[in-house]
Amino acid sequence: MSYVQEVMETVVKRNPNEPEFHQAVQEVLESLEPVLEKHPEYRTAGILERIVEPERQIIFRVPWVDDNGKVQVNRGMRIQFNSAIGPYKGGLRLHPTVYPGIIKFLGFEQIFKNSLTGLPIGGAKGGCDFDPKGKSDAEVMRFCQSFMTELYRHIGADIDVPAGDIGVGGREIGFMYGQYKRITTLYEGVLTGKGLNWGGSLARTEATGYGLVYLTDEMIKAKGKSFKDATVVISGSGNVAIYATQKVQQLGGKVVALNDSNGYIYDKDGINLDTVKRIKEVERGRIKDYVKVHPTAEYFEGTGIWKIKCDVALPCATQNELDEEDAKALVANGCFAVAEGANMPSTPEAVKVFQANKVMFAPGKAANAGGVATSALEMSQNSMRYSWTFEEVDAKLKDIMVNIYKNASAAAREYGYEDNLVVGANIAGFLKVADSMLAQGIV
Ligand code: NDP
């Protein structure tokens, strides 16, 4: 049995019933085979056995009282996966599907993504099975305060700096920050995604979506293509999807579809982003409300967004939202590039279809790293007690995304996987972490 298979067996045995975590580990470990052959010292030092085991897992009760006076209890968690190259960094997800398998998969991916940014941040992720949908602001506040009342003792500006993810935006970060400050009396950069008046960074809101499009643009330019006049389908209608849409439109592309977990809209004239922003960012409504304002657009209940003809597809909603059949439909419709704004949105079978059909493909670890990179820039600004302008942050973000593309492509080429950014991103992200772990001894 190979080293990778041995480690994989332990992962499955030690983390039963956590398929998303197994999927994420399998994909990374498989692609490291050639690196492990070239570097036997990684095996001697047990790098793989250590890198698949979180450094620390914290699971805690989150009690709060709803608007009817009823006591509610949720399960919160923070998984601090790897601190070889810097303090832990990674988002918090609030969604009913949250359980340790999801948070572990996200935390594991985060190690390599953070390394790829070139910035000094380790990997972590956290969250809770709380569903913010349909809750009042007061309920969300009470929940966030209770969540932070336990979490605060495990985080800190030089220990672990959480950020947003699904279900966690500016409102939730605000409530959590307020509670952290109240308990600790520290005014420090312990969370990112803060408001601009109280330590936030310009361009953080836009960063993941913009970064995704910067990297995709670099990837398609290398093959003589561009966003100008391209038809683009984007899934989701949250933070990542909205700002990916904005950047595609700025580059002259036409985004014709968006969705949420109920269904998708198709607007052949191109999505009107002001309407989407109002529905999603202000009213916290459903994407189907779009057709009330734009009657020539259509709304379809359920899945099916990937059957729409497009040149570029950007999945920006959630894990495993694009399967083999969807990938075949995209290929049949002439789609030439897919880049992941969400984490692990394409199933392994879908990725194989893209690669077999020479569709350019950028995995989430590389393509959506702009969010965490800009969070790290927010940390730098907090440390300096200084703020960069929007243009300064945006220019740094663009540089980082172009470098991620270059480093992942170079690593793929070095190991004989021409154009395979999945392998390239895994290898480039892994090497820096593995070498740091080697240098720091068996810890
Ligand atoms: P938001 O909560 O802002 O938006 C999530 C969007 O995805 C919503 O439109 C939501 O619809 C939709 N969605 C969620 N679950 C499902 C589902 N099961 N089926 C269909 N649609 C679904 O989250 P973000 O935009 O921040 O995050 C989206 C993805 O990007 C996630 O995978 C996240 O991990 C990843 N990401 C986010 C970063 C960030 O900076 N925010 C950074 C890097 C990655 P609905 O409202 O119906 O639930």
Side-chain angles (χ1 to χ4, degrees), residues 121-390:
I121 37 179
K125 200 84 185 188
C128 189
D129 57 3
F130 172 81
D131 187 358
K133 254 189 233 127
K135 303 285 190 303
S136 68
D137 283 352
E139 287 177 320
V140 170
M141 180 180 76
R142 288 195 292 277
F143 164 81
C144 288
Q145 290 178 339
S146 179
F147 184 79
M148 186 51 84
T149 301
E150 174 57 37
L151 186 67
Y152 87 93
R153 65 186 96 245
H154 309 289
I155 61 176
D158 295 311
I159 301 170
D160 182 355
V161 183
D165 189 73
I166 292 180
V168 178
R171 174 181 63 168
E172 292 75 19
I173 292 290
F175 293 148
M176 290 184 197
Y177 190 74
Q179 185 73 348
Y180 179 86
K181 186 166 62 66
R182 184 185 190 194
I183 297 174
T184 62
T185 72
L186 292 169
Y187 205 104
E188 61 172 9
V190 67
L191 292 168
T192 54
K194 298 187 290 300
L196 295 177
N197 291 331
W198 42 280
S201 172
L202 285 159
R204 172 60 188 95
T205 306
E206 293 83 355
T208 309
Y210 276 24
L212 167 69
V213 178
Y214 290 147
L215 184 136
T216 310
D217 193 36
E218 203 60 25
M219 174 175 80
I220 65 179
K221 266 195 329 214
K223 298 272 184 218
K225 305 270 191 188
S226 95
F227 272 110
K228 181 101 187 54
D229 299 325
T231 300
V232 182
V233 167
I234 299 183
S235 63
S237 45
N239 174 265
V240 181
I242 286 176
Y243 292 96
T245 301
Q246 188 166 81
K247 188 48 75 178
V248 167
Q249 291 178 341
Q250 285 172 7
L251 296 183
K254 183 157 87 170
V255 178
V256 293
L258 289 174
N259 73 359
D260 61 21
S261 50
N262 295 113
Y264 65 94
I265 50 166
Y266 173 68
D267 189 337
K268 63 175 180 0
D269 301 325
I271 296 286
N272 182 313
L273 197 57
D274 288 338
T275 306
V276 175
K277 281 177 142 188
R278 182 174 48 70
I279 295 170
K280 288 291 170 181
E281 294 183 336
V282 182
E283 296 164 4
R284 297 182 189 273
R286 309 308 300 159
I287 201 68
K288 69 172 173 218
D289 298 340
Y290 182 91
V291 295
K292 290 182 197 155
V293 190
H294 302 281
T296 55
E298 297 169 89
Y299 173 72
F300 302 89
E301 197 76 19
T303 54
I305 193 169
W306 305 119
K307 309 285 186 293
I308 299 171
K309 187 172 167 50
C310 64
D311 301 311
V312 179
L314 304 175
C316 295
T318 194
Q319 63 276 351
N320 293 326
E321 54 162 308
L322 194 165
D323 66 14
E324 187 176 5
E325 289 311 307
D326 296 326
K328 284 181 180 161
L330 284 167
V331 170
N333 280 329
C335 170
F336 63 75
V338 176
E340 299 184 324
N343 285 307
M344 211 169 73
S346 319
T347 63
E349 297 76 28
V351 177
K352 284 198 186 104
V353 172
F354 295 139
Q355 289 173 337
N357 287 281
K358 302 252 175 295
V359 173
M360 289 177 255
F361 179 74
K365 273 192 203 83
N368 69 34
V372 74
T374 308
S375 276
L377 299 178
E378 183 173 331
M379 288 165 71
S380 304
Q381 293 170 83
N382 291 163
S383 302
M384 292 189 290
R385 305 252 185 268
Y386 186 73
S387 299
W388 290 317
T389 62
F390 187 97

Side-chain angles (χ1 to χ4, degrees), residues 420-437:
N420 185 333
L421 289 181
V422 175
V423 173
N426 288 341
I427 294 179
F430 172 79
L431 285 173
K432 197 169 131 193
V433 177
D435 289 338
S436 306
M437 288 173 75

